[in-house]
Amino acid sequence: MNRKWVLFGVLVVIPVVALVGCSNNSTVPTQKAAAPQSGEAKPDGAKGDEHAHKPGTHGGTIVALGKDSYHAEAVFEKGGKVRLYMLGKEETRVQQVEAQTLSAFVTPEGSTDAVPVAFKPEPQQGDAAGTTSLFVAALPEGLAGKKVQVTINNINVGGERFRIGFGNEAHGDAMPAKKATAEEQKLFLTPGGLYTAADIKANGDTIPAVKYRGIRPTHQANLTPGQKICPISRTASNPKFTWVIGGKTYEFCCIPCIEEFLTTAKEKPAEIKDPSEYVKK
């Protein structure tokens, strides 16, 4: 059907096109999921503006808060316990935040029913009074070992509020064994500088992320003279985190510090001191 109009004495014919299948009574198309807001965390490996993160020190999932303003590592443990470690802009830095209870919701795979849970603050050694760098929660009954999505709608970090979302893979009562990346194999399983083949054998022909899986790091800053310190962080070393380099055993506070120290030992061996030198004066 055409409509005719007279404009300034000129006859204009305008065709009218029918829209098939579209009317005021038609069904509204399903909306696509909204893009995460600026304060919402994306999980490890997210695409877009977020960069991929290295596996967490505790074998968990790293999520970024905002645009990498801060980070957190989510660890799903045997029996249904979930730990949320707070980290700084650099993922190797522990981030202390205000001690607060985090209201979260757990949604099982294939379900739309979200079950509320609470993440309670559990300050680690070295956390200042009134702050924490760790939150802990227990999955609702029957969800341990199943694939779930956890959402924390409000967490206060440095005066800013963020939303965190993270999930896991169904793994029963055991976490899957971590495989060494090409970068880790090159660093820990090949000799160089002060690092020898004998050192690699002494360390168990493995990488720290596997050898020390599940061990919680400590970052004690208040030291006494004579106390051993981590060569990298200069906080108290932990005898559970050791690595043999040049035939000598060094103590560290966490796995990332082992990586950084070994890199120096291979690339700048002259900068490495004897283990006895890494002591609080």
Side-chain angles (χ1 to χ4, degrees):
M1 179 180 69
N2 295 332
R3 289 184 179 178
K4 299 179 180 180
W5 300 83
V6 177
L7 298 178
F8 302 103
V10 179
L11 179 63
V12 179
V13 179
I14 302 176
V16 178
V17 180
L19 301 180
V20 179
C22 180
S23 68
N24 292 335
N25 296 324
S26 61
T27 303
V28 178
T30 303
Q31 290 185 331
K32 294 182 178 180
Q37 301 300 311
S38 59
E40 181 175 350
K42 290 184 180 181
D44 179 28
K47 297 181 180 180
D49 293 335
E50 304 290 344
H51 63 264
H53 300 282
K54 294 182 179 180
T57 300
H58 307 87
T61 299
I62 297 292
V63 291
L65 282 67
K67 292 188 176 180
D68 282 351
S69 297
Y70 304 97
H71 294 85
E73 181 183 359
V75 180
F76 290 80
E77 296 185 345
K78 178 180 179 180
K81 181 176 288 187
V82 184
R83 295 182 181 274
L84 188 67
Y85 294 89
M86 304 307 300
L87 308 172
K89 182 176 179 63
E90 296 181 22
E91 298 158 31
T92 58
R93 300 294 182 185
V94 174
Q95 178 69 39
Q96 298 179 49
V97 304
E98 175 187 346
Q100 56 198 283
T101 298
L102 306 179
S103 296
F105 294 90
V106 180
T107 307
E109 182 181 34
S111 173
T112 58
D113 295 329
V115 184
V117 296
F119 279 78
K120 300 287 187 179
E122 285 196 9
Q124 300 187 88
Q125 186 177 20
D127 289 345
T131 70
T132 186
S133 58
L134 172 64
F135 295 91
V136 179
L139 291 177
E141 185 177 358
L143 295 185
K146 295 184 178 180
K147 189 173 182 180
V148 298
Q149 182 70 24
V150 179
T151 302
I152 300 174
N153 288 323
N154 185 21
I155 177 170
N156 193 317
V157 184
E160 299 180 88
R161 296 169 64 186
F162 297 92
R163 179 178 184 273
I164 301 178
F166 54 88
N168 68 339
E169 295 294 335
H171 49 71
D173 286 337
M175 292 289 287
K178 181 186 185 302
K179 294 183 179 180
T181 63
E183 184 179 354
E184 288 173 320
Q185 289 181 334
K186 182 178 180 181
L187 177 61
F188 291 103
L189 303 180
T190 60
L194 291 179
Y195 198 52
T196 67
D199 295 334
I200 296 173
K201 184 176 182 180
N203 290 320
D205 289 308
T206 187
I207 62 175
V210 171
K211 187 173 183 178
Y212 301 123
R213 180 177 179 79
I215 299 178
R216 297 171 56 185
T218 57
H219 297 87
Q220 181 184 349
N222 299 322
L223 306 174
T224 57
Q227 188 173 359
K228 292 183 179 181
I229 60 175
C230 173
I232 299 299
S233 69
R234 298 293 171 172
T235 61
S237 63
N238 186 338
K240 293 181 179 179
F241 292 103
T242 63
W243 210 253
V244 178
I245 300 172
K248 301 176 181 179
T249 302
Y250 293 83
E251 288 187 10
F252 303 88
C253 64
C254 61
I255 292 174
C257 286
I258 299 176
E259 296 176 351
E260 186 172 340
F261 190 77
L262 180 55
T263 298
T264 301
K266 296 179 76 172
E267 298 177 355
K268 301 176 182 179
E271 296 184 6
I272 301 300
K273 301 177 182 179
D274 187 83
S276 62
E277 295 295 319
Y278 299 106
V279 176
K280 174 67 175 178
K281 304 300 183 182

